[in-house]
Amino acid sequence: MLKKLVFFFVFFIFSCPLFAQNPNDEEKKVFIDNLLSKMTIKEKVGQLRLISVGGDLTLDKVLDQIEAGEIGGIFNTVVEPDLSRMQERALKSPNKIPVYFGFDIVHGHRTVFPINLGLAATWDRNAFAKVAEVSADEATSDGLNVTWAPMVDITRDPRWGRVSEGFGEDPYLASEAGRIFVEKMQKQSLADKKSLVTTVKHFALYGAVEAGREYNSTDMSERKMFQEYLVPYKAAIDAGSRAVMVALVSVNGIPATANHWLLTDVLRNQWHFDGVVVSDHGAIRELINHGVATDAKDAVRIAIKAGIDVSMNDEYFLQFLPELVDEGAISEDLINQACRHVLELKYDMGLFKNPHRNLDPNFDIETMFANDRLHRTEARDVARRSIVLLKNENNLLPLDKNKKIAVIGPLADSKRDILGSWSGAGRANLAVTPLQGIKNAIANPKLVSYAWGANLSDDPNLDKFLNLYGESSKFDKRPANKMIAEAVAQAKKSDVVVVFVGEAQGMAHESSSRTDLNLQASQKRLIKALKATGKPLIIALMNGRPLTVKEEYQQADAMLETWFLGTEGGNAVADVLFGDYNPSAKLPMSFPDNVGQIPVYYSHLKTGRPHGTVNMGKYTTSYFDSPNEPLFPFGFGLSYTDFTIDFSLSKTEMSPNGEIEVIANVENTGEREGSQVVQFYLQDVTASVSRPVKELIGFESITLKPHEKGQVKFVIKYDMLKFWNDKMQYVAEPGKFNVFVGADSTTKDKQTFTLLDN
Ligand code: BGC
């Protein structure tokens, strides 16, 4: 009888579809094995080359290389006829392998959404999903099938310009955004015509460059990496991201592009990533500059051995990989393996069956712009959800639509700047500036006056820097006092002043680190002059990173953080100014009080001499010339109404297989409908390693009418209590935990429970 049972069990296991190999996988393997067996080494290397048209590489040269089977993918072209020609030529290559088309679709494609730091401020999973879906929809209609996004580098140093591209300082918030981007862009199946393959970047730790200086090195304990900085990449990979882009920087002394531990031990072996690993632009050549490769050939050898599959903007793979195989310096297996990753991706995208899947000669981008009101409506909605209300003295906001408004400042009417960086396919001419948005919102646009007021900066070098690549940041040559006088005159004639200050989009981009996060002197002078008019002053910040704005915070009657809001930004600003939308956004990154505090972030570790307990100010962790606290903490943001939050736990003890329910009661105690993001933090009180004072592990938004009450529920599960312990094992340790629920990361409202041994 027992024998029979065993037989049936074994038979059941092997006949059960769950355990059998997926027939598609088998088909795919046969197809790719067959293809690989026919490919020359040169063609295999061709699949590892990602090329963009430009410089010496004219379109004709690229077309010839494609036909020769020397190019696997193309990036940075969005001209449909060119893409179609490229695909036609690929189908004439020796093995007729189609090319894929990639582009940086970071925060929208043609319709531009807020920069990701602004998007993160929505704390709204639906908003993340909307941006990802619309981006994928427009990009795939436009001929593309791969994006170099999401960028999920944790950023705690606002001196680094690329903080604008990511989702801020917190691993959980960034992971949620990254996960949703991957799910909504790639969709259930890559073969879906609307699926856009994601490339999570920049693996890894690019956001932790020393001193916030672009392309500098990063150095970090493994515990901090696994506990915090690597978490969002892992979340995006677990969500199925089929590609990863490698960081330009070195990680603990070894450039990421040459880092076998990172790309192979962690990514492939521990995380089981089986997609495509793409180098960043020119990163292989840069191994020589890093000082780990003697020459280009050496760099190629090191990169492929470390785990790079595809070389972005390749210069050297074709030149050296076949030679390196011939010489026995690398095995052909390594090339086969990398090539297989690319071919599998193309297979899963359905490119072999339908190489033209995203190419439609009849698709007219102009018609899309003209007709697609829906995407603009969605862009406006996400944009207004991204605006953070930082101050609102005497309820100055929302404004009455019958007031005379002076709209001032170098960013008030800039169509290019409001799109933000990485908006290459966006159309500035279609963007709505704040000035236009404010006029659109009121019945009598004559109530609105406008003045430039000041250049973004007095520094002509900054102006030159911003226009290096023809990005057209405007510089007014009139004398500064004349511009200010004009603005002051407008202010005096008005009931209220709204001044748009901050950064040009090019100041919050790749290669735009700064050491001084104050507003530029020219802008400070303008604000001072406007303040002196005595008119109520609203300061609207437009920028891509936390700035140090303590002085302006004191001068302003009301203050808004508007980031770079995208195509519909101006209308969104008007929605908030006039109360057609009640602001609900929360900062995804702490705003420092001064640069000396950097990095300042909420989830820092406990110390042996906590601040403010004994001998306040002396022999405790503190500065004698600055507060410890940032100007605005992580998670902070006001509303035109008020909320109270209290909460309780369903139990005070939890066993490893148990759960605790956290019930938060929220009440809108004000007179307007509004939404509150209820934030849920945890603290492991005692553990084998020092743990942060607080970590975000959940958030939910609730919308309530005036005086309405509602509930938000969270569940604490065992896995949420895990961390990397003293032996670098990922475990939960029994003991006490504090739970905090509130409206920002400074909440002190606390409940405690104990995790039992069993
Ligand atoms: C950036 C990447 C980007 C690539 C292609 C590089 O300079 O670091 O984030 O995807 O260019 O545009």
Side-chain angles (χ1 to χ4, degrees):
M1 182 61 190
L2 188 69
K3 256 190 189 167
K4 251 192 187 166
L5 269 179
V6 170
F7 171 78
F8 277 120
F9 179 67
V10 170
F11 177 77
F12 172 73
I13 289 282
F14 285 99
S15 56
C16 175
L18 202 72
F19 294 91
Q21 190 155 30
N22 182 341
N24 286 341
D25 285 352
E26 192 46 42
E27 233 172 69
K28 174 163 79 178
K29 189 173 177 309
V30 170
F31 179 88
I32 291 171
D33 284 348
N34 180 36
L35 193 54
L36 275 169
S37 71
K38 292 189 289 188
M39 290 168 78
T40 63
I41 181 87
K42 240 180 146 183
E43 283 169 76
K44 289 177 195 170
V45 172
Q47 290 305 306
L48 312 183
R49 300 183 70 229
L50 184 53
I51 296 297
S52 76
V53 178
D56 286 348
L57 266 180
T58 57
L59 178 61
D60 282 339
K61 279 192 191 159
V62 169
L63 288 169
D64 288 345
Q65 288 195 17
I66 290 177
E67 188 167 332
E70 292 172 358
I71 292 178
I74 292 290
F75 73 113
N76 279 355
T77 300
V78 267
V79 182
E80 204 282 336
D82 290 352
L83 297 179
S84 283
R85 278 175 75 196
M86 291 176 185
Q87 199 61 297
E88 290 304 333
R89 296 287 288 270
L91 298 177
K92 290 187 184 150
S93 65
N95 281 294
K96 302 182 177 35
I97 302 173
V99 284
Y100 60 87
F101 301 110
F103 198 77
D104 287 282
I105 299 145
V106 177
H107 53 108
H109 180 53
R110 298 295 190 173
T111 306
V112 180
F113 285 82
I115 55 164
N116 288 337
L117 195 62
L119 175 60
T122 64
W123 292 55
D124 181 348
R125 295 178 183 86
N126 293 328
F128 303 159
K130 197 44 81 191
V131 175
E133 275 166 2
V134 172
S135 304
D137 186 53
E138 290 188 357
T140 52
S141 300
D142 212 11
L144 302 167
N145 29 50
V146 176
T147 176
W148 322 125
M151 186 285 214
V152 296
D153 303 335
I154 293 292
T155 56
R156 294 177 178 174
D157 191 333
R159 291 173 297 183
W160 190 51
R162 301 195 83 167
V163 305
S164 56
E165 284 171 58
F167 302 98
E169 75 182 47
D170 183 67
Y172 178 72
L173 184 57
S175 296
E176 283 296 272
R179 171 182 70 77
I180 293 169
F181 260 59
V182 171
E183 288 170 0
K184 298 296 172 185
M185 283 181 154
Q186 290 196 160
K187 316 214 178 304
Q188 288 284 333
S189 159
L190 295 193
D192 184 328
K193 222 182 120 185
K194 291 275 156 202
S195 163
L196 186 67
V197 172
T198 57
T199 309
V200 58
K201 70 187 187 186
H202 304 86
F203 191 68
L205 320 185
Y206 190 6
V209 281
E210 268 180 18
R213 200 182 74 229
E214 183 64 302
Y215 313 129
N216 204 358
S217 23
T218 65
D219 215 293
M220 190 181 288
S221 72
E222 267 188 46
R223 171 162 298 103
K224 201 173 180 76
M225 280 191 208
F226 282 95
Q227 191 64 48
E228 301 170 36
Y229 279 71
L230 292 180
V231 173
Y233 310 108
K234 172 87 164 44
I237 288 162
D238 288 346
S241 183
R242 277 297 291 270
V244 168
M245 186 188 291
V246 177
L248 289 163
V249 295
S250 66
V251 174
N252 291 0
I254 303 172
T257 309
N259 201 317
H260 188 273
W261 173 78
L262 193 65
L263 304 186
T264 300
D265 298 350
V266 175
L267 185 62
R268 296 281 184 204
N269 299 341
Q270 285 181 37
W271 294 2
H272 308 294
F273 176 70
D274 60 2
V276 177
V277 177
V278 186
S279 82
D280 201 343
H281 202 282
I284 293 175
R285 173 179 18 95
E286 290 170 19
L287 293 181
I288 308 169
N289 295 345
H290 276 290
V292 297
T294 49
D295 53 27
K297 185 170 169 184
D298 200 27
V300 167
R301 179 186 62 80
I302 291 171
I304 195 102
K305 283 187 111 165
I308 296 284
D309 292 326
V310 166
S311 166
M312 176 178 270
N313 209 32
D314 179 56
E315 301 162 286
Y316 301 125
F317 264 25
L318 199 62
Q319 197 177 341
F320 296 120
L321 276 177
E323 207 173 299
L324 284 162
V325 172
D326 269 357
E327 291 165 4
I330 56 168
S331 73
E332 188 163 351
D333 276 355
L334 212 51
I335 310 283
N336 288 343
Q337 196 185 14
C339 186
R340 183 181 290 279
H341 293 145
V342 176
L343 296 176
E344 280 177 349
L345 179 68
K346 291 184 176 181
Y347 186 95
D348 290 342
M349 287 160 78
L351 273 182
F352 288 107
K353 286 196 179 128
N354 180 11
H356 296 279
R357 53 166 255 172
N358 297 116
L359 299 169
D360 174 1
N362 297 320
F363 174 74
D364 176 16
I365 191 77
E366 301 307 329
T367 317
M368 182 194 99
F369 280 131
N371 295 343
D372 212 329
R373 295 301 310 162
L374 180 62
H375 289 179
R376 292 192 73 127
T377 307
E378 285 161 343
R380 177 173 181 163
D381 187 47
V382 173
R384 61 195 199 167
R385 286 170 194 280
S386 305
I387 299 171
V388 188
L389 179 65
L390 298 171
K391 182 177 184 182
N392 194 18
E393 205 123 284
N394 304 321
N395 293 329
L396 172 61
L397 293 174
L399 294 177
D400 183 331
K401 288 188 179 170
N402 295 312
K403 287 251 165 82
K404 279 194 250 159
I405 307 175
V407 178
I408 313 281
L411 294 162
D413 198 28
S414 168
K415 284 171 175 274
R416 175 64 193 96
D417 286 305
I418 203 161
L419 294 188
S421 61
W422 296 108
S423 50
R427 295 279 175 89
N429 62 328
L430 298 178
V432 180
T433 66
L435 176 64
Q436 189 56 51
I438 291 168
K439 285 185 180 164
N440 292 345
I442 57 180
N444 179 7
K446 289 210 179 101
L447 292 172
V448 180
S449 62
Y450 163 71
W452 173 257
N455 284 321
L456 269 169
S457 163
D458 295 326
D459 179 1
N461 286 330
L462 178 61
D463 183 53
K464 234 188 263 160
F465 168 81
L466 290 175
N467 285 299
L468 263 184
Y469 294 98
E471 279 160 5
S472 74
S473 181
K474 188 178 151 194
F475 191 81
D476 195 323
K477 297 222 166 65
R478 286 179 295 162
N481 54 2
K482 221 171 165 192
M483 294 190 270
I484 289 189
E486 187 184 271
V488 165
Q490 299 292 6
K492 284 186 177 159
K493 282 191 271 173
S494 305
D495 300 317
V496 61
V497 180
V498 195
V499 61
F500 288 84
V501 286
E503 302 182 288
Q505 59 85 25
M507 290 165 74
H509 190 24
E510 182 175 350
S511 188
S512 51
S513 294
R514 355 179 2 182
T515 57
D516 181 351
L517 297 176
N518 287 329
L519 292 181
Q520 304 282 316
S522 57
Q523 302 183 42
K524 278 185 168 286
R525 280 197 306 270
L526 172 65
I527 292 171
K528 212 169 151 197
L530 293 171
K531 177 74 187 162
T533 64
K535 297 287 175 174
L537 180 63
I538 300 159
I539 298 184
L541 300 169
M542 193 188 282
N543 48 280
R545 50 152 67 83
L547 296 173
T548 47
V549 286
K550 193 154 81 176
E551 196 184 355
E552 291 71 30
Y553 179 66
Q554 283 153 4
Q555 291 163 320
D557 296 291
M559 193 173 215
L560 294 170
E561 174 54 75
T562 75
W563 319 105
F564 298 110
L565 288 172
T567 308
E568 282 287 327
N571 286 329
V573 168
D575 286 341
V576 166
L577 284 176
F578 296 114
D580 294 323
Y581 183 76
N582 184 355
S584 54
K586 305 278 188 173
L587 296 176
M589 219 177 144
S590 310
F591 274 45
D593 181 273
N594 56 76
V595 275
Q597 291 179 325
I598 294 171
V600 57
Y601 55 97
Y602 82 94
S603 61
H604 57 85
L605 295 188
K606 283 178 259 185
T607 69
R609 296 188 175 186
H611 184 50
T613 46
V614 267
N615 284 339
M616 173 79 148
K618 206 139 206 227
Y619 304 114
T620 69
T621 180
S622 58
Y623 304 99
F624 71 74
D625 62 351
S626 159
N628 280 11
E629 294 73 29
L631 180 62
F632 304 121
F634 174 80
F636 172 75
L638 303 170
S639 159
Y640 295 152
T641 186
D642 294 307
F643 296 93
T644 58
I645 303 174
D646 62 64
F647 76 102
S648 57
L649 305 184
S650 62
K651 288 187 273 181
T652 53
E653 288 187 337
M654 180 175 141
S655 57
N657 52 11
E659 285 181 357
I660 294 182
E661 211 178 29
V662 181
I663 299 170
N665 297 306
V666 189
E667 183 175 351
N668 179 349
T669 55
E671 303 306 323
R672 270 176 182 270
E673 179 173 316
S675 302
Q676 175 66 292
V677 179
V678 182
Q679 303 168 30
F680 168 33
Y681 297 89
L682 198 79
Q683 179 195 35
D684 192 342
V685 179
T686 314
S688 58
V689 298
S690 205
R691 303 280 295 120
V693 291
K694 215 175 251 171
E695 284 173 299
L696 184 75
I697 57 165
F699 59 87
E700 285 307 329
S701 190
I702 183 167
T703 302
L704 295 171
K705 298 209 162 25
H707 302 289
E708 194 187 357
K709 293 179 184 167
Q711 271 192 350
V712 170
K713 287 186 189 163
F714 301 101
V715 178
I716 304 173
K717 295 185 178 156
Y718 183 72
D719 276 358
M720 294 163 127
L721 311 179
K722 288 184 175 170
F723 66 100
W724 295 90
N725 74 359
D726 56 340
K727 299 182 186 67
M728 279 304 284
Q729 299 152 329
Y730 193 60
V731 294
E733 291 177 357
K736 252 191 177 179
F737 289 81
N738 288 329
V739 178
F740 301 85
V741 175
D744 66 52
S745 62
T746 62
T747 178
K748 297 203 165 38
D749 199 4
K750 176 175 94 180
Q751 303 281 339
T752 301
F753 73 92
T754 306
L755 175 67
L756 304 172
D757 255 332
N758 51 49

